[in-house]
Amino acid sequence: IKAAITLARDRGLSWYVLGGGSNLLAIDAGYNGMIIRIVADAEESIAFEEHGDAVRAIAWAGVSWDAFVDACASRVLWGIENLAGIPGTVGAAPVQNIGAYGAEVADTLAWAEVLDTDSLEVHRIENAACEFGYRDSMFKRNRSLIILRVAFDLRINGKAKTSYADIAARIETGAVVSTPSEVASLVRSIRAQKFPDLSLCGTAGSFFKNPVISVEAFKVLKEKYPELPGYESPNGMKVSLAWILDKALNLKGFSQGNVRLFEKQPLVLVTNEGASAHDVDAFANEITKKVFDATNISIEREVQNLS
Ligand code: EPU
């Protein structure tokens, strides 16, 4: 990686580090610079260290996130099993603090080791210094740091996190969640019902973040939409954008050209072959406007732009 950065500098090229590329919208003109893709084999690139009743799992950045989840679950280590089935790499996971089904990377990450491309030195950044937030971290803002390795503290005597409604509902109908592998399988089966098949269409998962608004603004909105789900979060009320798109705006399956909101989960934007980044951008702006007109909320994109 140092050699790649040095080469890019020598040639005056900008550079971009790609994880799995699963949360990215690349402009139609193409990226004028160097793309660095970090890849590592899960078999050879994960180490486990015992620390009392916890185990520290350390993986190189290029390992597939889902292979890492599986490697930890198969050793009956608890902590990241609710994050099964998310595309991308271990090194990309902390950047946007990936989260799903009541867990996020920030809950278990111990440290991330980074290459500082300004000094070409390697540093270790502890959890508290990562500035984790909802789909956010200091890595998202500080692009001069490249994540090389990530360590997670996982529990030997854990239990399933079942607070998320989709998981609780499946348990009520008989799903068993006595091991991390069982939780991971359950999460994968819930995801398979909601998310499109990545091998069939273009998608980056949730295209927008769920908006966080003030308690007062939420009360006002509840008068217009009494059923609107809201969840307390550190900075206010997190509102379900999928609900707004579906129930308030009736936009499930809404399409323009080759771009549409997925029928089973309208927060997920999907494209058919032939869609350009410009089409996606225009469509997303249209959705942003519709949401603002109905709710006065300015939604933010979760997907990163490569330009
Ligand atoms: N809902 C509807 N209609 C729908 C779907 C959902 O009204 O068609 C409402 C329901 O009230 C539901 C609520 O929206 O309870 C929330 O939906 P869901 O549980 O599917 O989660 P989400 O808030 O839409 C977030 C993450 C996903 C993550 C899921 C599960 C964001 C931006 N997205 O989606 O993450 O998998 O929760 O935890 O926070 C991603 O980041 O790319 C991603 C897929």
Side-chain angles (χ1 to χ4, degrees):
I1 296 171
K2 280 185 187 172
I5 297 297
T6 307
L7 181 68
R9 286 235 167 91
D10 288 350
R11 303 208 174 170
L13 296 171
S14 55
W15 46 265
Y16 188 90
V17 178
L18 194 65
S22 52
N23 199 45
L24 201 64
L25 181 65
I27 55 163
D28 297 319
Y31 181 67
N32 187 17
M34 180 189 281
I35 300 284
I36 302 171
R37 175 140 189 257
I38 304 182
V39 182
D41 177 45
E43 294 285 311
E44 294 164 10
S45 311
I46 307 174
F48 295 92
E49 292 173 1
E50 300 220 356
H51 287 261
D53 67 351
V55 169
R56 183 159 286 184
I58 305 169
W60 288 99
V63 172
S64 133
W65 173 260
D66 204 36
F68 178 59
V69 170
D70 260 346
C72 297
S74 66
R75 281 173 176 75
V76 201
L77 299 174
W78 295 89
I80 55 172
E81 60 285 348
N82 291 38
L83 303 176
I86 299 179
T89 59
V90 169
V95 177
Q96 66 147 347
N97 184 19
I98 58 170
Y101 304 101
E104 57 182 18
V105 151
D107 301 338
T108 44
L109 180 139
W111 48 256
E113 207 167 69
V114 298
L115 174 70
D116 180 334
T117 53
D118 293 331
S119 62
L120 291 186
E121 282 171 5
V122 174
H123 301 290
R124 197 168 271 193
I125 301 178
E126 304 290 329
N127 184 312
C130 294
E131 299 169 20
F132 284 125
Y134 168 52
R135 294 296 190 279
D136 195 36
S137 75
M138 61 99 90
F139 307 112
K140 212 166 175 177
R141 293 180 290 273
N142 188 346
R143 290 288 177 182
S144 64
L145 301 178
I146 299 180
I147 297 177
L148 304 176
R149 283 203 302 171
V150 192
F152 292 85
D153 283 341
L154 305 175
R155 287 176 309 283
I156 295 169
N157 298 312
K159 67 179 182 53
K161 262 198 210 113
T162 57
S163 58
Y164 204 90
D166 286 346
I167 293 189
R170 290 288 202 98
I171 292 170
E172 253 176 42
T173 56
V176 179
V177 288
S178 55
T179 65
S181 291
E182 284 169 353
V183 175
S185 306
L186 175 61
V187 166
R188 287 196 185 98
S189 99
I190 294 170
R191 293 184 71 93
Q193 288 187 341
K194 284 200 171 178
F195 295 103
D197 183 340
L198 294 173
S199 64
L200 299 179
C201 60
T203 184
S206 297
F207 195 87
F208 302 99
K209 292 190 197 180
N210 284 314
V212 178
I213 61 175
S214 69
V215 174
E216 296 74 46
F218 182 67
K219 272 191 199 142
V220 172
L221 215 51
K222 273 288 227 190
E223 281 165 24
K224 189 170 177 190
Y225 304 113
E227 309 281 307
L228 174 68
Y231 312 90
E232 278 174 34
S233 88
N235 306 318
M237 293 297 286
K238 191 191 273 185
V239 180
S240 167
L241 183 56
W243 190 95
I244 293 172
L245 296 170
D246 177 7
K247 310 287 194 310
L249 294 168
N250 198 21
L251 289 176
K252 260 183 168 177
F254 173 70
S255 71
Q256 265 176 7
N258 284 320
V259 192
R260 73 182 196 283
L261 297 183
F262 193 53
E263 293 74 13
K264 295 178 188 162
Q265 203 343 336
L267 194 50
V268 173
L269 190 151
V270 288
T271 61
N272 295 327
E273 213 175 316
S276 65
H278 178 266
D279 296 339
V280 173
D281 201 53
F283 181 83
N285 286 341
E286 173 84 23
I287 300 296
T288 304
K289 184 172 180 306
K290 284 182 189 292
V291 172
F292 186 80
D293 290 347
T295 63
N296 231 11
I297 299 174
S298 301
I299 53 173
E300 286 173 29
R301 294 183 184 189
E302 191 211 80
V303 164
Q304 303 281 290
N305 277 323
L306 175 60
S307 58

